[in-house]
Amino acid sequence: MLRRLHWMILRKLPGPFFGWLGVLMFLLVMQFLIRWLPDIAGKGLPLLVIIELIVYNLAYMVVLAVPMSVLLATLMAFGDLAESQAYTVIKGAGISVTQIIWPVLIVGLLVSGGMVYFNNVVLPEANWQARNLWQDIRSQQPGFELEAGRFYDGMDGLSILVQERPPNSNELYDITIYDYREDSRHQSIIKAERGRLDPQDGGLAVNLVLEDGEMHRTRPARSGEFEDRYQRLHFAEHTIRLDLSDFAFQRSEQDDEESSRTTRTMPTTQMRNLVDSLSTERQERRSEFHDRIREIVRTDTTAEAIQDREVASEEMPRPGANEDTTDVPARHVAVGGLDQQTQRTIYSLAQRNARSLSSSITDVRRNLEWRDQRIRQYRVEIHKKYSIAVACLLFTLIGVPLGLTIRRGSLAAVGGYSLGIFLFYWITLVQGEKLATRDIIAPWLGMWIANIVVIGLSLWLMVYIIMDLRATPPLRKRLWRWIQQVFE
């Protein structure tokens, strides 16, 4: 009987999970297109490139959609179990909650394990490919498109004006072309009554065929002439070949060096290696700084300097027993008995050493701050990848008692509870990331505090279900009765 019950519960999970996963992925894709469509449209990108960009960005959408789908599926499965009174029958048969939920927790553990691999390996590589593709798309020139009544200056040396162009047609009417390809001094002006666009070489070129027009141009002066020649030519048909190879989408070579990757595009193993390397370099810089201070301190402690100071000290007039020395400047004690030139030299040397030490301290401080910041960023991202993956198991753990508590498997109830929990989790995660990055709290605490809260809430709900606290008076009433008994 228990095995059949496990199988019945497990069969309730895949349908809602994949259904909600599809809905959430669709909404995220639509949000992505609405946000980035202005940057994609108008550049003549191949359809496969747009699909490739969407596929790469599906990775971060999966990270958002899978935990929430797990929570929704668990809530719907156990909410329906409670609403149909099946859970009441199960309790009446003497079966405890812990006996029926362990297969669901195993499923949540498997999903979390898969998300650990996905977040640490697949997601960084997808983000890396998406970033490189975005750079290629942003460097892409807008596609060749002639609009009626507007000059087109997208090609070097040509300015084209078309007064009329029928929709969805390559026919052109009343065409004016300014040709500066030779040089700005010897330009050509071409006017034609009509024309057409004739694509060539698979779209990499187009022939602009002009009909019934004339050309006005200036030509360089011949030998013995002092002025440029003016020419006016009539033509029945004239063809201008336009090279569109610059408008074709081209992929750049990818640089796979570690320095060009960010925290979002770097695998976890690589980030850990960088953290170890930065920590070692930070310790080396601190050791170098301490050695630098010792060197500066030892600069004026040689035998010759000590002897000079002893001689100067002996030659200094000693204050009497009753003489007050509180007003004697400290520098007189250090350079007493020396001539002014020697004193200026010593002061200059001391200032130079002080400036050098101050500059060294500033450089080391900035270097250490930069390394500390990088280490924090890498550690925050490492903990974030694991905490989001573990959230799938935690949402399963909280979904079981919450579904049995609300006793409703309807879409509105499940959606409301899930949205509230997920928003709380995600806002807490984002705020924790900001605090950890700013070194206000530790990276592990910033990334795991949301999970800690969810664990505490899920354990309380589990105790509430196991002990059947719904059948007992509310906690506030029992506490009030206990206080009354104490005072009585």
Side-chain angles (χ1 to χ4, degrees):
M1 177 181 177
L2 193 58
R3 184 177 300 176
R4 293 179 60 184
L5 180 61
H6 291 161
W7 178 245
M8 181 187 70
I9 295 175
L10 292 177
R11 283 191 304 174
K12 291 178 176 291
L13 294 176
F17 174 77
F18 288 107
W20 279 109
L21 183 61
V23 171
L24 294 174
M25 292 295 293
F26 174 78
L27 294 176
L28 290 172
V29 169
M30 290 298 101
Q31 183 265 346
F32 170 80
L33 292 177
I34 292 172
R35 180 181 179 183
W36 299 110
L37 190 60
D39 294 339
I40 299 175
K43 294 193 174 183
L45 296 175
L47 179 61
L48 292 178
V49 173
I50 298 177
I51 295 176
E52 183 181 359
L53 180 64
I54 295 175
V55 169
Y56 287 145
N57 284 275
L58 286 177
Y60 83 86
M61 300 178 193
V62 169
V63 174
L64 296 176
V66 168
M68 191 169 185
S69 299
V70 169
L71 178 60
L72 286 164
T74 308
L75 279 175
M76 291 188 69
F78 284 87
D80 183 66
L81 193 68
E83 188 177 17
S84 63
Q85 301 300 322
Y87 178 61
T88 305
V89 176
I90 293 172
K91 287 196 304 180
I95 300 176
S96 64
V97 178
T98 55
Q99 290 179 291
I100 64 175
I101 68 171
W102 66 265
V104 180
L105 297 181
I106 291 177
V107 172
L109 183 62
L110 293 176
V111 175
S112 294
M115 291 303 297
V116 167
Y117 175 80
F118 186 89
N119 292 348
N120 289 282
V121 178
V122 179
L123 178 62
E125 189 61 28
N127 290 339
W128 170 249
Q129 297 294 339
R131 193 190 75 168
N132 291 330
L133 187 55
W134 266 121
Q135 291 177 351
D136 296 339
I137 291 175
R138 290 192 175 100
S139 63
Q140 173 72 8
Q141 299 182 21
F144 177 73
E145 184 66 27
L146 295 178
E147 297 183 10
R150 296 182 61 182
F151 275 98
Y152 178 78
D153 300 321
M155 305 193 68
D156 295 337
L158 286 176
S159 183
I160 306 173
L161 174 63
V162 177
Q163 295 295 345
E164 182 181 354
R165 181 180 183 182
N168 301 323
S169 173
N170 287 333
E171 298 294 328
L172 310 173
Y173 297 94
D174 194 2
I175 307 164
T176 304
I177 301 176
Y178 295 89
D179 189 351
Y180 308 95
R181 288 179 294 181
E182 186 172 348
D183 56 61
S184 59
R185 179 181 177 183
H186 303 99
Q187 64 179 349
S188 300
I189 302 175
I190 305 173
K191 298 182 67 67
E193 293 292 333
R194 58 187 175 275
R196 68 179 185 275
L197 296 174
D198 185 12
Q200 302 289 325
D201 300 335
L204 296 179
V206 64
N207 287 339
L208 178 56
V209 182
L210 305 176
E211 300 177 356
D212 192 12
E214 60 182 16
M215 179 186 302
H216 304 263
R217 64 181 182 180
T218 57
R219 310 303 297 168
R222 296 175 179 175
S223 58
E225 297 179 349
F226 297 98
E227 295 182 356
D228 294 338
R229 293 178 294 118
Y230 169 76
Q231 292 182 346
R232 180 180 179 181
L233 306 174
H234 294 272
F235 58 84
E237 183 176 296
H238 178 65
T239 301
I240 300 177
R241 185 175 179 85
L242 304 177
D243 185 10
L244 304 182
S245 58
D246 292 337
F247 298 95
F249 180 74
Q250 298 178 356
R251 302 293 295 268
S252 61
E253 296 183 0
Q254 297 184 5
D255 184 11
D256 200 22
E257 295 182 358
E258 294 183 0
S259 58
S260 61
R261 287 181 177 254
T262 62
T263 55
R264 300 298 173 86
T265 61
M266 191 177 297
T268 302
T269 54
Q270 190 173 340
M271 282 194 292
R272 286 177 173 171
N273 294 335
L274 277 176
V275 168
D276 294 338
S277 176
L278 289 172
S279 299
T280 303
E281 292 175 1
R282 179 179 58 181
Q283 186 62 32
E284 291 177 354
R285 291 288 296 176
R286 286 178 177 174
S287 300
E288 292 176 2
F289 174 66
H290 293 158
D291 294 341
R292 172 64 175 163
I293 292 179
R294 296 190 190 96
E295 181 181 352
I296 293 176
V297 171
R298 288 196 302 265
T299 300
D300 201 31
T301 58
T302 59
E304 183 179 354
I306 295 174
Q307 184 178 4
D308 292 340
R309 286 200 298 270
E310 291 177 351
V311 172
S313 177
E314 292 176 356
E315 294 178 354
M316 284 182 58
R318 302 288 180 179
N322 298 326
E323 186 177 352
D324 187 10
T325 61
T326 55
D327 295 335
V328 179
R331 64 177 184 271
H332 291 174
V333 178
V335 297
L338 302 178
D339 58 88
Q340 293 184 353
Q341 182 64 30
T342 304
Q343 291 182 11
R344 282 195 293 267
T345 302
I346 294 176
Y347 291 154
S348 177
L349 179 61
Q351 290 177 352
R352 189 161 56 249
N353 290 339
R355 293 193 188 100
S356 176
L357 180 59
S358 176
S359 177
S360 299
I361 294 174
T362 302
D363 292 341
V364 171
R365 177 177 59 82
R366 291 176 179 175
N367 187 277
L368 293 178
E369 288 178 353
W370 178 83
R371 295 181 188 279
D372 289 338
Q373 183 180 7
R374 296 289 292 174
I375 291 173
R376 285 196 305 271
Q377 290 175 350
Y378 288 133
R379 286 177 175 170
V380 166
E381 192 65 26
I382 292 172
H383 286 288
K384 183 179 179 180
K385 286 180 168 57
Y386 284 102
S387 65
I388 294 177
V390 174
C392 297
L393 176 61
L394 300 183
F395 285 161
T396 303
L397 186 62
I398 195 175
V400 172
L402 188 59
L404 296 175
T405 302
I406 61 178
R407 299 179 183 272
R408 291 182 179 89
S410 63
L411 181 63
V414 170
Y417 280 101
S418 300
L419 183 61
I421 293 173
F422 193 75
L423 284 178
F424 167 79
Y425 178 85
W426 201 254
I427 291 174
T428 306
L429 188 71
V430 171
Q431 295 302 321
E433 181 178 4
K434 291 181 180 179
L435 294 176
T437 304
R438 296 171 185 174
D439 200 21
I440 299 177
I441 59 178
W444 69 268
L445 180 60
M447 291 295 95
W448 289 95
I449 187 170
N451 291 5
I452 295 173
V453 174
V454 172
I455 289 176
L457 181 59
S458 60
L459 291 178
W460 161 248
L461 290 174
M462 193 65 68
V463 171
Y464 187 87
I465 292 296
I466 294 175
M467 300 183 64
D468 200 8
L469 297 181
R470 179 186 289 271
T472 62
L475 180 62
R476 63 180 183 276
K477 292 184 178 180
R478 285 181 287 161
L479 182 61
W480 175 247
R481 291 178 183 176
W482 179 79
I483 294 175
Q484 287 180 335
Q485 291 177 358
V486 170
F487 283 98
E488 290 176 356

